[in-house]
Amino acid sequence: MNDQAPREPTLLILTAIAEVPRHGHAIAQEVEKISQSRTRMRTGTLYGALERLLEQELVVVHAQEAVDGRMRRSYALAPRGREILATEAARIARTAQEATRRLRIGGRAVTA
């Protein structure tokens, strides 16, 4: 992975598997939940992203099992993915904190 900040879909996928490994459909559901329904990942997009994240060694295949004649994989964060997610979460938190501080300095109450 390069030095650029990960894009939101990547962050959402990494966040979805940060606590426990999940299979593709569960990742898609968790991404929708985390994003408060702002992001819905289509199957092709999700699996393409997971393959890219596997290649970048940000995720690993946690387990594989045959379900209804098809292989079902569950994915977990790789150590590198955990590091990148933690770094990006801290960066986002600092940015939000600074934005909130500046809004208060501007004399307006912060509303969501």
Side-chain angles (χ1 to χ4, degrees):
M1 184 163 219
N2 55 32
D3 290 336
Q4 291 182 336
R7 294 178 185 241
E8 186 175 24
T10 297
L11 284 175
L12 290 168
I13 292 169
L14 296 178
T15 301
I17 60 174
E19 291 178 303
V20 297
R22 297 180 196 279
H23 58 81
H25 182 69
I27 293 170
Q29 289 178 322
E30 195 67 13
V31 162
E32 189 170 339
K33 179 180 170 186
I34 293 165
S35 70
Q36 300 174 338
S37 297
R38 286 180 299 116
T39 302
R40 291 192 175 116
M41 300 207 79
R42 300 181 82 156
T43 303
T45 302
L46 174 63
Y47 285 102
L50 287 168
E51 285 302 316
R52 180 178 47 80
L53 296 173
L54 281 166
E55 289 172 9
Q56 295 173 343
E57 299 179 342
L58 300 181
V59 303
V60 295
V61 174
H62 177 260
Q64 294 188 110
E65 63 179 329
V67 177
D68 296 328
R70 297 175 62 188
M71 288 305 292
R72 180 167 150 177
R73 291 177 164 181
S74 63
Y75 300 87
L77 272 183
R80 187 163 180 252
R82 187 168 296 282
E83 179 183 322
I84 286 172
L85 181 58
T87 298
E88 190 61 11
R91 185 194 68 76
I92 292 167
R94 285 190 306 272
T95 301
Q97 184 177 20
E98 182 63 14
T100 300
R101 183 188 73 77
R102 289 178 184 215
L103 284 168
R104 286 191 184 122
I105 289 172
R108 294 195 174 128
V110 178
T111 58

